[in-house]
Amino acid sequence: MKVVEELRYLVLAIQREGNRLLATELRPLGITPSQAEVLRVLRDHGPLTLNALGGLLVCETGNSPSRLVDRLVAQGLVKRGIDTVDRRYLTLSLTAQGRALHRRIITAENRLHRTMNDLVAGHALDETISTLRTLAGAFPAGAALARRRDPELATQEN
């Protein structure tokens, strides 16, 4: 097996297991990992237009996560409003129910992060993170994550 092939499969294995563990944590809350990501992004960066939200999501590439948002609106977790800068655009923000659920999502994510932290304790991660950022940065999902890390990039891109 080539080194880059193993890297690809290792990333896939970690992603799948991490998503499975997170889905298990979120199931009692009645949401999926993708829905949780939308709520996190809106809480951390909102209010946002649909295109701006799409530009910050890793779970969906592209700038129009409308089906995902529609489900969250139907659940009463996200509300649509008129953009204060340009009334032609709708903005998305969390409802009170969405903000309350966001706090529970953080708790679920923290449990997953503690598990992961225990698994990598004692290992140097800086070089690994740097390598993964380089690789991910070549793709839309990695670029979305970079925009979330650096708010200045988010305003330039959207």
Side-chain angles (χ1 to χ4, degrees), residues 26-103:
L26 296 173
R27 194 167 293 117
L29 305 180
I31 60 167
T32 66
S34 295
Q35 291 169 328
E37 184 182 355
V38 169
L39 297 179
R40 286 293 313 269
V41 169
L42 286 175
R43 179 68 173 104
D44 295 346
H45 301 278
L48 295 169
T49 64
L50 188 62
N51 281 346
L53 173 65
L56 295 174
L57 292 178
V58 174
C59 67
E60 285 198 19
T61 55
N63 286 343
S64 188
S66 54
R67 287 189 323 239
L68 197 50
V69 169
D70 288 345
R71 282 186 230 118
L72 294 168
V73 169
Q75 289 176 282
L77 301 171
V78 171
K79 63 183 173 185
R80 292 182 176 101
I82 302 297
D83 186 59
T84 56
V85 176
D86 188 338
R87 296 185 56 77
R88 295 174 296 171
Y89 292 100
L90 291 176
T91 58
L92 304 167
S93 59
L94 296 183
T95 63
Q97 184 181 350
R99 286 189 302 276
L101 184 58
H102 175 267
R103 288 188 289 278

Side-chain angles (χ1 to χ4, degrees), residues 100-119:
L101 184 58
H102 175 267
R103 288 188 289 278
R104 295 177 69 194
I105 290 167
I106 296 294
T107 300
E109 287 180 342
N110 284 341
R111 282 193 293 268
L112 172 61
H113 296 161
R114 279 192 300 274
T115 298
M116 292 174 67
N117 193 58
D118 290 346
L119 291 170

